[in-house]
Amino acid sequence: MDYYVIGERELVLGFSLAGVQGQAVTSREEALDAFNRMTGQLSAKANIAAQDRPKVLILTEEVSDMLSKEVLDWQMGGASPLIVEVQGLSGHIAGRKTLTDSIREAIGIQV
């Protein structure tokens, strides 16, 4: 599996039409369970096999906010899968930097 999405039901359905598997979540507990399974952080019995884990884990901004500590710890560890955040159905969350904003800030280009 190359990609896996965790987010709202409609968004997961949309990704499934493009062949991307995922799990719809409505609470922090559901999101944390899905995140831990896809990153291999549960007990060995509950984990999916390492070769079956996604290479890219797509999270909506809302899910990323629910799991902010876990996501940050995972990203700082530099492990696979790569975590990518996308806007949810309600649009961009005010006050959050977009990927484009972060890139512009990092390379110092203002357009």
Side-chain angles (χ1 to χ4, degrees):
M1 164 180 359
D2 289 332
Y3 301 94
Y4 193 85
V5 63
I6 302 172
E8 297 127 345
R9 183 178 57 88
E10 294 85 358
L11 188 117
V12 171
L13 178 61
F15 271 93
S16 73
L17 295 174
V20 177
Q21 295 179 359
Q23 180 176 341
V25 296
T26 57
S27 68
R28 182 183 183 334
E29 292 75 29
E30 290 176 347
L32 185 58
D33 178 60
F35 180 81
N36 285 339
R37 274 188 302 103
M38 291 300 121
T39 57
Q41 297 185 82
L42 291 177
S43 66
K45 196 176 203 180
N47 275 337
I48 60 172
Q51 68 271 14
D52 294 332
R53 288 189 204 132
K55 295 180 181 41
V56 178
L57 183 57
I58 303 166
L59 305 177
T60 61
E61 289 179 340
E62 291 83 1
V63 169
S64 184
D65 279 350
M66 283 189 240
L67 305 176
S68 59
K69 181 187 179 321
E70 291 84 358
V71 169
L72 181 61
D73 290 346
W74 186 261
Q75 289 173 326
M76 296 304 286
S80 178
L82 173 69
I83 295 178
V84 176
E85 293 179 20
V86 297
Q87 293 181 12
L89 295 175
S90 58
H92 180 64
I93 296 176
R96 287 185 63 120
K97 284 185 188 178
T98 64
L99 179 59
T100 305
D101 293 338
S102 297
I103 292 170
R104 285 183 181 148
E105 186 178 298
I107 60 175
I109 294 178
Q110 292 293 330
V111 180

